[in-house]
């Protein structure tokens, strides 16, 4: 999880339900799902969501469909703000995610909303509401994260994403074992030991291999030639920890220090010009905040370890 770009949702008193600001449709849909899932009409003795005395404002929201999981953060933040505004009992992240229609495949965004930090989920079993959390720990604050947004079409979402998954062959046991091994035997140990070079090499390999599973849809390991060129450039600058976020087109790079992050940002801006915007951020190890206070969902902060 990263500090920027942030998702900031505000709930305030109003005569009737209203939504404003960025992504009003997404906020509206999330509020409606929350309203129906938690039987709010009966709890407040009203007939419809329009009678809710609350105004929802999307103050800050990440770019949609760029690979940052913004839809999940908007939905969970909207539902959490409403839940707190009406002082309802705090639901579990599983209940909240299902209520607003998130975590149908990956649960990283849902667990990350609560926990922050670096996370690994186990993959969703048929009998689970959302995938279980396999590992979580704080991410080094002295390893800056550089986000790069090429000026090209957004990644897949909704019905297009579902259609894309239907084109992709099922992962073989050998492929699954290889990817699992990279995470458990290389990425996680390197992160825990703050071994940047090992972490960077393993992270790049994981991202490249993962992208190849979607080659039939993307035409390669990445979201088109611009993203491919951008990732090559980042590695040539001397930052090996680079990859594509989900379907892209956002590219992330993790630098060893602030000077290297600044040098990378300058190089990308010089080489790609106005065809690519760049943002330097850091890991968010806190999770969601309520009025700038931690533990939005009232859970103690814990570190999870890989299950064997």
């Amino acid at each position: 999880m990263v500090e920027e770009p942030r998702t900031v949702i505000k709930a305030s008193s109003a005569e009737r339900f209203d939504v404003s600001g960025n992504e009003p449709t997404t906020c509206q849909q999330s509020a409606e799902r929350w309203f129906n899932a938690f039987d709010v009409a009966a709890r407040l003795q009203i007939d419809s969501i329009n009678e809710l005395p609350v105004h929802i404002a999307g103050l800050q929201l990440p770019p949609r469909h760029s690979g940052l999981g913004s839809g999940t953060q908007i939905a969970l933040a909207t539902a959490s703000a409403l839940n707190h505004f009406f002082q309802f009992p705090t639901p579990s992240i599983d209940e909240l995610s299902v209520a607003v229609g998130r975590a149908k495949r990956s649960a990283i965004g849902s667990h990350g909303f609560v926990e922050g930090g670096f996370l690994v989920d186990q993959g969703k079993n048929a009998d689970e509401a959302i995938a279980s959390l396999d590992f979580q720990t704080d991410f080094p604050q002295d390893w800056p994260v550089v986000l790069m947004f090429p000026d090209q079409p957004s990644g897949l979402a909704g019905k297009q994403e579902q259609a894309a998954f239907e084109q992709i062959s099922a992962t073989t046991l050998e492929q699954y074992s290889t990817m699992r091994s990279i995470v458990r035997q290389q990425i996680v140990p390197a992160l825990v030991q703050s071994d940047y070079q090992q972490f960077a090499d393993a992270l790049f390999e994981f991202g490249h291999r993962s992208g190849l599973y979607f080659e039939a849809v993307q035409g390669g390991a990445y979201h088109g030639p611009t993203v491919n060129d951008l990732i090559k450039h980042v590695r040539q600058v001397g930052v090996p920890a680079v990859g594509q976020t989900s379907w892209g087109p956002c590219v992330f790079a993790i630098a060893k220090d602030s000077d290297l992050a600044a040098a990378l940002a300058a190089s990308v801006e010089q080489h790609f010009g106005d065809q690519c915007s760049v943002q330097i951020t850091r890991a968010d190890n806190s999770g969601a905040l309520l009025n700038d206070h931690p533990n939005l969902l009232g859970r103690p902060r814990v570190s999870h370890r890989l299950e064997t």
Side-chain angles (χ1 to χ4, degrees), residues 91-295:
S92 69
I93 191 59
D94 294 40
E95 293 172 321
L96 199 63
S97 296
V98 172
V100 294
R102 310 310 300 183
K104 294 179 180 179
R105 277 185 289 269
S106 169
I108 287 294
S110 294
H111 291 302
F113 178 79
V114 178
E115 304 281 356
F118 179 92
L119 308 99
V120 180
D121 78 16
Q122 295 183 26
K124 187 176 182 296
N125 294 322
D127 60 346
E128 290 183 312
I130 71 172
S132 299
L133 185 61
D134 203 23
F135 175 82
Q136 184 275 338
T137 190
D138 285 353
F139 192 82
Q141 288 289 294
D142 55 351
W143 291 358
V145 180
V146 183
L147 301 177
M148 293 152 278
F149 300 90
D151 184 14
Q152 64 179 77
S154 300
L156 300 180
K159 293 181 179 179
Q160 288 184 323
E161 183 181 32
Q162 183 60 44
F165 272 102
E166 292 173 357
Q167 297 179 42
I168 299 167
S169 301
T171 305
T172 66
L173 180 59
E174 180 180 1
Q175 290 172 326
Y176 169 77
S177 297
T178 298
M179 298 297 279
R180 183 184 177 96
S181 176
I182 293 173
V183 173
R184 290 179 168 237
Q185 298 180 24
Q186 298 180 51
I187 293 178
V188 169
L191 178 62
V192 171
Q193 297 165 16
S194 296
D195 185 336
Y196 174 81
Q197 191 60 51
Q198 181 182 336
F199 174 82
D201 293 341
L203 188 70
F204 173 75
E205 181 183 2
F206 183 91
H208 187 266
R209 284 178 177 270
S210 178
L212 289 176
Y213 297 148
F214 302 95
E215 187 172 15
V217 177
Q218 297 186 136
Y222 304 115
H223 183 94
T226 301
V227 171
N228 192 65
D229 290 345
L230 184 55
I231 289 176
K232 285 183 178 179
H233 181 80
V234 171
R235 289 177 63 81
Q236 289 171 353
V237 171
V239 181
V242 59
Q244 174 179 296
T245 59
S246 186
W247 292 105
C250 178
V251 171
F252 73 90
I254 299 170
K256 191 174 183 179
D257 54 50
S258 297
D259 290 343
L260 188 55
L264 172 61
S267 180
V268 169
E269 289 172 347
Q270 180 181 18
H271 189 82
F272 290 89
D274 57 6
Q275 298 302 306
C276 182
S277 60
V278 184
Q279 180 175 11
I280 299 177
T281 184
R282 293 185 184 276
D284 173 10
N285 290 322
S286 298
L289 306 177
L290 176 62
N291 295 335
D292 295 327
H293 295 293
N295 291 332

